[in-house]
Amino acid sequence: MRRNISHMVWLWCTASIATSCSITRYVPDGSYLLNSVKVKVDERSAASAPHSSDSAAQVAPPDFRLPVSDLKMYVRQQPNSRLFSLFRLPLATWSLAGPDNSRWLNRTLHSLGEPPVILDTLKTLQTQADLQQQLRNVGFLQGNVRVETHRKGRKADVTYWLQPGAAYTVRHLHYAIDDPQIAQRLAATDSTQRLLYEGMRFDVSSLEAERKRITTLLTNDGFFRFHKEYITFLADTIPGTQDIDLTLRLGLFQRRNQPDTLHTRYYMNRIDYASGDPADPQIHLRHRVLEECTHLAEGQPYSAALLRNTYNHFGRMQAVRYTNITFTEPNAISADSALLDCHIQLQSHKPSTLSFQPEGTNTAGDLGAAASLTYQNRNLFRGSEVMSLKVRGAYEAIRGLEGYSNQDFMEYSAEARLQFPRFIMPFVGHKQQQMANATSELSLLYDLQNRPEFHRRVLSAAWRYRWHSAQRHENYQFDLLDLDYVFMPWISATFKKDYLDSETTRNAILRYNYEDLFIAKIGFGYAYNHNGVALKTNFETSGNLLAMGARLFKADKDDLGHYRLFNIAFAQYVKGDIDITRSLRIDQNNQIVLHAAVGIAYPYGNSNVLPFEKRYFAGGANSVRGWSVRSLGPGRYKERDGRINFINQTGDMKLDLNAEYRTLLFWKLSGALFIDAGNVWTLRDYPGQPGGKFTFSDFPSQIAVGYGAGVRMNFGYFILRFDLGMKAVNPAYAEDDEEHYPILHPRFSRDYAFHFAVGMPF
């Protein structure tokens, strides 16, 4: 099969190279393939203009830089996309098809590929006009754009030369506000927040931003009927200079066939609730919950921001399907203020759902199946509380195990979750509930695992809080209490003899993870995602309160020096993680993604070893992809027994460094080239993991490096990912072994790892 795939890849590459030489064969006579488009600045005309010597203009020096990258978005016609910014693979795919569209193969290639982009002189002229207008919008009022088209053969290269000339600056700035009430409010509240100032470069976007800022300020302060069209600008140029006198005018309220009047400030009068579903006239939420979701308040000024928060708060309620808020205006109480009645209509979701989900599983080549049944109630206590009950069963046929009477893996689990759409904690009042977009969650889980080697049971209970910022760029999680009780009711005699009792194979990590264990942790997590930057951090600790109580009450220790709770040892450790990703977009089809992740955990006090679930591993689809999952590290440790590698190849510290170049191929397919580096280490010197302990002197030589390529299929709702990784530097090698630098001595059967995953790696 591998041989057939190689032949197919070779055939595809050959065909693509062959067709790249004939990508212009479908370009009509007299027309040209748009080969490249560039936007450049003519430096000879970009000299800065002398600005006014007025002392006010010297307060903030003008910015004469031309935003060329922003101007590129006004180009109306772009050339065909290129693979890794070099090869026009989509166009080559389209060119493979023949002219007969009745044939299935030709239609398929056309749908997968991209037709040639033919130079359109009309779009070129329109782009020239748009760029020239945009030059003037950013302050270069005498700017000009020259188009240079270079034709060679049947291809054309277009260059737009920007000739900005001198940048104009604001010499004098004046706010002319016709409404005294608004003038007084603006003078009292926003004199330091203005976006316009004397000496700035004239920029239409800054003018529009100031209009939006003032409009937002007023609509959040009761001016229900105010909109930005009441704000206009007058710009007068000064002959012989590059100075502008700018006036912002805020006009009076306008009514059809009536004289202009002052703007009215509105106050909330009455707020009522009703069902928006004629078939169900009842509102299924408690009145207190309705009040918590409503940010507008009777007797307070109208606010567009509070209206938006009200919509958002009701939108978070899973019991609510649709929200509609309208206002009516009763009689005005005075000439400059009026009242608004607020009507909130709600439509409810179905209270209960039942779902069934089958699964196929593949664990290291062992195939199996699973199924889950989930019941969900979206409004348990008439406060949009979500209760979900889930039962799951799984079966897997295990291959390659010898000496065990049973060769199957079975798992059964039952899980219950109860989620409240608010903070459930003392001393949190109505205002605090409205300010936080928070949820509180109680969860219970019982998991039963029967393997040929052992039986394992896990009982978990947790109480946690989640909340996020108003812009949703920042998310927080606080695990107030997370309890896990792990117990082993049965271990096979074969496994016990081979690994737990044998002097040659047993180690502290292995023994610790096959004993009953109690974990009581608290943790805090923070995540940020905005403008191509994603940051995730997490901190947790376990066992400290139990250890303090044991010392306080002078509890006895076992033979290993550990305190026990109900005759069960409890874990004590501290753990911290940080993960950051930065996306650098080259163009609409190409980007570079950089990723780094560091984690460290330290067992202390009542523990000498981290619980297995808290240990780090390297390799796999989201780590160093030259290695399969849990096959790298710790340090320069080299595997000895493939049956227990999932235990031995773990550590207390992890480093992941990744760089990935992503590009659009054609249709829904994208490609990637990547370089990965990292490893895991232990912080203690465990006999079962020789060479695994972290030391600063050995750290550089123990960094594993891999490289490779991948293909992604983007179906919108999910992404299928196929990555082929190769080892480049392998820290687990014998002396004078070519395995140390596989990039110099490659061997495909030894060095490759293939990964299939859903979603991006980072």
Side-chain angles (χ1 to χ4, degrees):
M1 181 177 178
R2 186 183 303 157
R3 187 176 179 183
N4 292 335
I5 293 175
S6 301
H7 288 165
M8 291 174 63
V9 172
W10 178 85
L11 181 61
W12 177 259
C13 294
T14 303
S16 299
I17 295 173
T19 54
S20 66
C21 302
S22 58
I23 55 178
T24 60
R25 65 175 175 171
Y26 290 114
V27 176
D29 294 337
S31 299
Y32 297 89
L33 176 71
L34 185 60
N35 188 55
S36 67
V37 175
K38 299 178 181 179
V39 179
K40 296 183 176 182
V41 179
D42 189 346
E43 299 294 343
R44 293 170 297 179
S45 64
S48 300
H51 50 81
S52 172
S53 59
D54 193 302
S55 60
Q58 305 302 315
V59 174
D63 182 7
F64 293 107
R65 293 174 297 176
L66 186 63
V68 179
S69 58
D70 295 337
L71 294 176
K72 290 181 179 180
M73 62 181 294
Y74 294 95
V75 177
R76 292 175 177 255
Q77 194 176 31
Q78 296 287 351
N80 290 99
S81 57
R82 295 173 182 262
L83 171 63
F84 301 118
S85 300
L86 297 174
F87 310 109
R88 283 178 284 216
L89 183 59
L91 176 57
T93 302
W94 194 92
S95 300
L96 281 172
D100 186 3
N101 267 339
S102 63
R103 299 181 60 184
W104 172 84
L105 179 59
N106 292 340
R107 293 197 308 270
T108 301
L109 291 174
H110 280 167
S111 64
L112 295 178
E114 185 179 274
V117 178
I118 307 301
L119 176 64
D120 189 330
T121 55
L122 177 60
K123 291 184 179 180
T124 302
L125 294 175
Q126 291 173 335
T127 299
Q128 181 183 18
D130 292 343
L131 289 174
Q132 187 162 312
Q133 180 60 45
Q134 192 60 21
L135 280 178
R136 296 170 182 174
N137 289 343
V138 295
F140 298 91
L141 301 187
Q142 298 177 350
N144 189 34
V145 178
R146 177 173 57 88
V147 180
E148 183 180 281
T149 304
H150 178 69
R151 297 175 176 85
K152 183 177 181 181
R154 305 185 72 178
K155 299 179 183 179
D157 298 312
V158 179
T159 303
Y160 297 95
W161 288 99
L162 306 180
Q163 300 171 323
Y168 279 67
T169 58
V170 176
R171 186 183 67 165
H172 294 302
L173 175 64
H174 177 59
Y175 280 68
I177 301 175
D178 297 337
D179 189 318
Q181 180 183 202
I182 290 181
Q184 182 179 6
R185 291 186 176 278
L186 293 181
T189 59
D190 79 327
S191 59
T192 61
Q193 300 175 8
R194 293 179 177 178
L195 303 178
L196 305 179
Y197 53 90
E198 295 178 346
M200 65 175 287
R201 175 166 58 84
F202 180 79
D203 191 338
V204 172
S205 62
S206 298
L207 272 58
E208 185 61 30
E210 180 70 353
R211 289 179 76 194
K212 183 178 179 180
R213 186 190 68 84
I214 295 176
T215 302
T216 300
L217 182 68
L218 295 177
T219 54
N220 289 339
D221 194 31
F223 293 92
F224 173 66
R225 300 192 180 280
F226 189 88
H227 53 80
K228 68 177 183 179
E229 302 305 323
Y230 286 111
I231 302 175
T232 58
F233 292 93
L234 176 63
D236 289 334
T237 58
I238 311 302
T241 69
Q242 282 73 45
D243 293 334
I244 291 179
D245 288 343
L246 181 64
T247 301
L248 181 149
R249 178 171 296 278
L250 194 153
L252 296 173
F253 181 71
Q254 299 173 357
R255 294 177 295 177
R256 182 177 297 179
N257 301 325
Q258 295 186 31
D260 296 347
T261 62
L262 299 178
H263 292 273
T264 302
R265 190 168 187 240
Y266 288 84
Y267 288 78
M268 302 307 302
N269 181 38
R270 183 171 59 92
I271 300 175
D272 56 49
Y273 306 91
S275 172
D277 187 357
D280 186 8
Q282 183 181 0
I283 297 179
H284 298 280
L285 294 174
R286 300 192 307 272
H287 190 74
R288 178 179 175 83
V289 175
L290 297 176
E291 291 180 341
E292 287 181 355
C293 294
T294 306
H295 292 246
L296 296 167
E298 296 178 0
Q300 297 298 318
Y302 164 84
S303 170
L306 296 182
L307 173 62
R308 184 170 57 253
N309 291 342
T310 301
Y311 270 113
N312 292 338
H313 215 132
F314 276 111
R316 292 179 52 245
M317 299 286 149
Q318 294 201 32
V320 177
R321 182 176 63 180
Y322 176 74
T323 306
N324 183 40
I325 303 177
T326 58
F327 298 90
T328 57
E329 183 179 356
N331 295 330
I333 61 175
S334 67
D336 61 350
S337 65
L339 298 178
L340 288 176
D341 288 338
C342 177
H343 311 283
I344 301 178
Q345 290 185 327
L346 304 173
Q347 288 188 13
S348 301
H349 273 294
K350 292 181 179 180
S352 302
T353 60
L354 186 66
S355 62
F356 176 77
Q357 183 178 2
E359 304 174 40
T361 62
N362 183 347
T363 305
D366 296 332
L367 301 180
S372 60
L373 182 67
T374 304
Y375 167 79
Q376 188 177 77
N377 187 311
R378 295 191 178 99
N379 198 19
L380 184 63
F381 305 122
R382 296 184 63 241
S384 194
E385 300 88 358
V386 179
M387 182 190 71
S388 62
L389 302 175
K390 180 180 178 180
V391 292
R392 182 179 184 272
Y395 169 84
E396 195 170 88
I398 300 178
R399 301 174 302 170
L401 279 181
E402 298 179 0
Y404 296 91
S405 59
N406 187 10
Q407 297 292 314
D408 300 327
F409 166 71
M410 289 184 293
E411 180 180 13
Y412 304 96
S413 64
E415 182 180 15
R417 290 181 181 271
L418 181 58
Q419 188 179 85
F420 301 86
R422 63 191 70 87
F423 275 124
I424 304 296
M425 63 171 57
F427 313 115
V428 177
H430 177 74
K431 290 295 184 182
Q432 289 76 17
Q433 293 283 11
Q434 286 190 330
M435 292 173 59
N437 296 312
T439 58
S440 305
E441 181 183 284
L442 172 67
S443 64
L444 298 171
L445 170 68
Y446 179 74
D447 186 66
L448 179 152
Q449 303 172 12
N450 289 344
R451 288 186 59 90
E453 311 99 310
F454 54 83
H455 291 175
R456 189 170 185 260
R457 309 289 185 260
V458 179
L459 180 62
S460 299
W463 179 261
R464 58 177 59 94
Y465 301 98
R466 294 187 179 95
W467 69 98
H468 58 78
S469 62
Q471 296 80 17
R472 296 182 179 269
H473 301 322
E474 297 175 294
N475 293 278
Y476 305 84
Q477 176 172 319
F478 175 48
D479 295 333
L480 180 63
L481 188 61
D482 191 339
L483 306 176
D484 292 288
Y485 173 40
V486 182
F487 60 104
M488 311 287 296
W490 176 82
I491 298 177
S492 72
T494 302
F495 187 83
K496 197 173 182 182
K497 175 183 177 182
D498 290 347
Y499 297 111
L500 302 184
D501 295 338
S502 173
E503 294 292 338
T504 60
T505 60
R506 69 178 179 181
N507 58 65
I509 298 175
L510 197 61
R511 289 183 61 88
Y512 185 77
N513 285 282
Y514 287 94
E515 296 176 350
D516 295 348
L517 183 65
F518 184 69
I519 304 173
K521 79 176 183 71
I522 60 173
F524 179 79
Y526 168 78
Y528 172 86
N529 195 334
H530 186 56
N531 287 338
V533 176
L535 172 67
K536 292 186 293 185
T537 62
N538 185 73
F539 174 83
E540 65 181 67
T541 184
S542 173
N544 295 320
L545 292 178
L546 295 177
M548 290 176 58
R551 287 194 295 268
L552 181 65
F553 292 100
K554 298 180 180 179
D556 295 331
K557 295 183 179 181
D558 60 16
D559 296 339
L560 299 177
H562 298 156
Y563 292 114
R564 304 180 76 86
L565 178 67
F566 305 120
N567 204 31
I568 303 170
F570 59 85
Q572 191 173 6
Y573 65 88
V574 61
K575 181 179 182 181
D577 299 273
I578 182 169
D579 186 300
I580 185 168
T581 302
R582 179 73 169 100
S583 298
L584 306 172
R585 184 164 294 278
I586 301 173
D587 55 39
Q588 61 181 355
N589 295 324
N590 297 275
Q591 64 174 330
I592 296 175
V593 183
L594 306 176
H595 170 257
V598 178
I600 185 169
Y602 185 70
Y604 61 95
N606 212 51
S607 297
N608 296 323
V609 179
L610 278 175
F612 176 73
E613 292 80 2
K614 303 301 178 181
R615 297 180 68 81
Y616 298 102
F617 63 88
N622 302 321
S623 182
V624 186
R625 283 165 282 185
W627 282 258
S628 57
V629 63
R630 288 189 174 94
S631 65
L632 172 62
R636 59 172 302 175
Y637 170 81
K638 192 174 180 63
E639 65 177 81
R640 295 183 300 175
D641 191 329
R643 291 175 291 179
I644 60 170
N645 278 345
F646 68 97
I647 289 288
N648 281 341
Q649 299 204 257
T650 58
D652 309 321
M653 175 181 172
K654 179 179 180 178
L655 173 66
D656 265 335
L657 301 172
N658 313 87
E660 187 167 287
Y661 188 110
R662 298 173 182 172
T663 186
L664 175 67
L665 298 177
F666 55 87
W667 187 51
K668 299 181 183 296
L669 293 179
S670 298
L673 299 176
F674 56 82
I675 299 176
D676 303 325
N679 206 335
V680 294
W681 294 266
T682 62
L683 298 181
R684 298 176 184 265
D685 193 4
Y686 298 110
Q689 295 174 306
K693 184 180 178 182
F694 175 84
T695 60
F696 284 101
S697 58
D698 295 332
F699 168 71
S701 64
Q702 294 180 356
I703 296 292
V705 181
Y707 63 97
V711 176
R712 292 90 166 90
M713 300 182 67
N714 189 346
F715 295 100
Y717 293 102
F718 65 95
I719 297 175
L720 297 180
R721 175 162 56 93
F722 306 88
D723 285 337
L724 178 64
M726 294 287 292
K727 298 179 179 65
V729 179
N730 184 5
Y733 66 97
E735 294 296 333
D736 300 324
D737 193 342
E738 66 176 20
E739 291 185 19
H740 189 194
Y741 296 103
I743 193 171
L744 301 179
H745 310 279
R747 187 190 306 166
F748 184 81
S749 60
R750 178 196 64 193
D751 300 331
Y752 92 100
F754 179 75
H755 307 282
F756 168 70
V758 177
M760 289 298 190
F762 38 81

